[in-house]
Amino acid sequence: MRKETQRHADRNEEAVIAETSRSCSCCTQHPDSDFKMKFLLLLVMLTACAAAPQDLSGKMFIFPQQTSSAHVRLTASRQGFGAVTVCHRSFTDLKRDHILFSLATPSSANDFLIFWDEANKEMEPHIKNAKTEYKGWDYKSNMWHSICTTWNSESGLVQLWFDGQPSIKKFISSGSNISGSTIIILGQEQDSHGGGFDLKQCFIGMMSDVHMWDYALSPCEIQKYVDELNFTPGNVVNWSALEFQITGRVLIEDKQKFCS
């Protein structure tokens, strides 16, 4: 009986030793696991910070050099558009073709695009791979310009507002909404969904106050935007609560103000 009891005691002691060994093994691995957890938590926090909307009121993006890679990708708050208004302000000294706004979907690289054609001196809205041209604008270098573009799929009409002056309305594309995964790029023109950038079409200069709505803005609201009054901010892209990702050399600085 004593021998049997002793065998049970020996087994219990071995079990305690084995459990202790496992516990010690876990303890020796704990610092590494703790480091990994802290590192993963840091990544999550950085991702959350990068994705958090930022108020860029009074600020501007600076695209300081010719490149086929540097750009800003904007996050749209929704997908699918039967009507669109895009407004922005830009400042450049370029004397060549250049992009001002590029929205692409998998089915159409030019679903909503604003482009300056230097050779023909015309502003070109592209919608669902269709294009129209507006000539006669005084698109001077080295000064801020406010440009708004509206489109409605029901009528197919597009209209451009240049520094508060409206163009005529032109037919461009009707009967089909902009649909699919939306990628919005500033600084580069998309020839494919999210890529296909062309060095000679990139934007160089400053850009600010980018807004996008999923409806055609009224003339009164457009004038308020141009005059920097109290207007309704974009419900798709809002400069005052902007979600974006910068790739390459694009800087954010305070918008320059000149003393009177």
Side-chain angles (χ1 to χ4, degrees):
M1 182 68 178
R2 190 174 296 150
K3 289 183 179 179
E4 184 66 26
T5 302
Q6 183 63 39
R7 281 198 295 271
H8 281 297
D10 291 343
R11 289 195 196 101
N12 289 337
E13 185 178 352
E14 289 172 0
V16 170
I17 293 171
E19 182 62 30
T20 303
S21 177
R22 282 196 294 272
S23 299
C24 291
S25 175
C26 290
C27 289
T28 57
Q29 292 175 5
H30 180 70
D32 185 53
S33 299
D34 188 50
F35 173 78
K36 288 179 180 178
M37 288 299 295
K38 288 180 178 179
F39 180 70
L40 288 172
L41 181 60
L42 179 62
L43 286 179
V44 170
M45 291 174 64
L46 289 174
T47 302
C49 290
Q54 296 187 43
D55 184 356
L56 295 188
S57 300
K59 297 186 180 297
M60 60 185 177
F61 287 131
I62 300 175
F63 301 87
Q65 65 186 122
Q66 183 162 292
T67 169
S68 61
S69 58
H71 65 276
V72 179
R73 178 169 173 171
L74 307 182
T75 301
S77 65
R78 62 197 69 193
Q79 308 284 321
F81 310 104
V84 173
T85 301
V86 170
C87 290
H88 76 275
R89 306 186 212 279
S90 59
F91 187 117
T92 185
D93 65 352
L94 285 172
K95 294 295 183 182
R96 60 159 172 78
D97 296 354
H98 56 272
I99 187 64
L100 292 167
F101 185 89
S102 177
L103 183 155
T105 61
S107 61
S108 175
N110 297 332
D111 245 346
F112 197 97
L113 179 145
I114 311 299
F115 191 83
W116 173 254
D117 184 329
E118 177 67 21
N120 296 306
K121 305 295 182 184
E122 60 190 26
M123 200 68 71
E124 298 177 348
H126 296 239
I127 298 170
K128 298 193 68 63
N129 282 333
K131 181 187 79 166
T132 191
E133 304 86 14
Y134 287 104
K135 297 178 182 289
W137 299 116
D138 191 13
Y139 189 45
K140 291 180 180 178
S141 298
N142 295 311
M143 66 179 295
W144 285 102
H145 293 289
S146 298
I147 300 171
C148 293
T149 307
T150 67
W151 167 76
N152 188 302
S153 66
E154 185 175 349
S155 65
L157 297 180
V158 62
Q159 187 174 29
L160 194 72
W161 293 72
F162 185 86
D163 291 338
Q165 297 299 313
S167 71
I168 65 169
K169 292 186 177 184
K170 292 186 176 183
F171 178 82
I172 188 167
S173 177
S174 67
S176 177
N177 292 355
I178 294 172
S179 59
S181 174
T182 299
I183 295 180
I184 301 172
I185 298 288
L186 302 180
Q188 299 287 345
E189 194 265 319
Q190 300 175 77
D191 282 332
S192 61
H193 190 226
F197 303 149
D198 185 340
L199 181 75
K200 296 181 180 179
Q201 294 181 339
C202 75
F203 177 80
I204 303 175
M206 289 95 79
M207 193 166 290
S208 185
D209 301 328
V210 182
H211 289 266
M212 178 175 170
W213 298 259
D214 64 354
Y215 56 91
L217 217 58
S218 71
C220 183
E221 282 291 325
I222 290 176
Q223 196 60 55
K224 286 181 180 179
Y225 169 85
V226 172
D227 294 338
E228 301 188 57
L229 299 176
N230 185 24
F231 64 94
T232 303
N235 64 343
V236 178
V237 171
N238 180 356
W239 189 255
S240 300
L242 196 67
E243 294 186 41
F244 62 93
Q245 179 181 0
I246 291 176
T247 298
R249 185 174 285 115
V250 181
L251 308 174
I252 301 174
E253 288 189 0
D254 291 338
K255 197 173 177 182
Q256 295 167 323
K257 294 182 180 180
F258 301 98
C259 298
S260 57

